[in-house]
Amino acid sequence: MRQGFFISFEGGEGAGKSTQIERLARKLRAKKYDVVVTREPGGSPGAEAVRHVILSGAAEALGPKMEALLFAAARSDHVEQLIRPAIERGAIVLCDRFVDSSRVYQGVTGGLPAEFMDALEKVTVNGMMPDMTVILDIDPVEGLKRANARRSAGDVPDRFEKETVETHERRREAFLAIAKAEPERCVVIDAAATPQDVEDAVTEAVFERLEKRMPAKRSKGAAE
């Protein structure tokens, strides 16, 4: 039986997912929640080993299907080694990307059949879908500018950042379509606002759902 709360963060490049996850984690820990911050691809030793292969572009030549299989292998290890144990002990898991990124990147813009992606997702997730997904929405041109600005000197764009603006626009539309289809799970937040305004919107949305699910997880002084 699930005891914790699983939140994934999705959106295009430069949307600010890492920043907002860090800020939310700090607020949750201040209220005495057990918080686990993780990411995809990666998050567990096996998955981290696959991360470089994917983001470096080394698997790109093998085609989108092989890339999807690598993501799936990494996700399966991530779920079973880190996410599921954390949820079962009652923790809140904040994950930078999860299944929706695969649906969008390998499914929609990778051109893989929905039936293939659905079957792969079902096996790799094995019932561990997010309780809530925060989609940070931003215009791709602005997002790519942000991604370029944060990159260290000498670093090059990763496998996905280097793709065309048109491809990123299709991904934005795909994320918004997922949110529209699954409103009970997804909430869309305007990531073009200031980091503080985005933080406030994320905090409001998360705590509204979380406190209905886990009110007893806070300490006696958590509400102070």
Side-chain angles (χ1 to χ4, degrees), residues 4 6 14 26 32 53 57 60 76 95 103 106 108 110 112 121-122 129 147 151 162 183 207 211 221:
F6 181 16
R26 187 164 56 244
K32 311 304 179 185
V53 175
E60 187 176 2
S76 179
C95 189
R103 293 175 178 181
Q106 284 74 56
V108 174
L112 294 178
E121 178 181 304
K122 190 173 296 184
M129 280 293 290
R151 196 175 297 118
K162 69 181 184 180
F207 276 86
E211 291 182 348

Side-chain angles (χ1 to χ4, degrees), residues 21-31 199:
I21 288 172
E22 180 183 343
R23 294 184 179 197
L24 178 60
R26 187 164 56 244
K27 288 187 174 182
L28 290 168
R29 287 170 178 147
K31 290 186 175 292
E199 178 184 346

